[in-house]
Amino acid sequence: MNNCLFCKIIAGEIPCKKLYEDDDILAFFDIKPAAPVHFLVVPKKHINNLLELDSQDSLLAGRLLYRASELAKEQGCGEKGGRFIINAKSDGGQTVDHLHIHFIGGRSLRPKLASIFLG
Ligand code: AMP
Ligand code: ZN
């Protein structure tokens, strides 16, 4: 078993506030929300980050984006929108080395708050 936090959440070893699950994808609320709506969408398959995506992962990557979009709408952010973020590796500020899409919404992130995920 690897030592990945999100793999442990996927395996049920660490609890999460689950939002969605299917055979390939898990979505859960971020433990430290940056906005009223802040969830993460992750592949169940361990992929370190977006820079390490294989060609056979392209369908999965598309499904992750689609699910993030659907869940953002379900969370009431379809009309006003929000921000979809994928941090990658050290310069990107990635702290958990398992590919994940953030969605943050439910409040205005422009322009004063735009720096939250821009560093
Ligand atoms: P990143 O900085 O893009 O790697 O984002 C990692 C995110 O995971 C951060 O927003 C954390 O707040 C979040 N996080 C860390 N541990 C947990 C956890 N146990 N459950 C839910 N979210 C978590
Ligand atoms: Zn993992």
Side-chain angles (χ1 to χ4, degrees), residues 26-67:
L26 182 69
F28 50 94
F29 288 102
D30 198 290
I31 204 166
K32 209 176 150 198
V37 178
H38 185 173
F39 63 79
L40 306 171
V41 184
V42 312
K44 288 190 172 176
K45 171 186 173 182
H46 181 91
I47 298 169
N48 285 327
N49 56 67
L50 195 62
L51 292 161
E52 295 180 36
L53 210 59
D54 288 332
S55 58
Q56 70 260 28
D57 295 325
S58 58
L59 182 61
L60 175 60
R63 292 194 57 234
L64 289 169
L65 275 179
Y66 175 72
R67 188 51 53 195

Side-chain angles (χ1 to χ4, degrees), residues 9 16 18 37 44 51 57-59 64-66 76-77 82 88 91-92 94 96 99 106 108 112:
I9 289 177
C16 72
K18 193 188 294 183
V37 178
K44 288 190 172 176
L51 292 161
D57 295 325
S58 58
L59 182 61
L64 289 169
L65 275 179
Y66 175 72
C77 299
D91 275 1
Q94 185 178 6
V96 179
L99 175 63
S108 175
K112 191 163 52 130

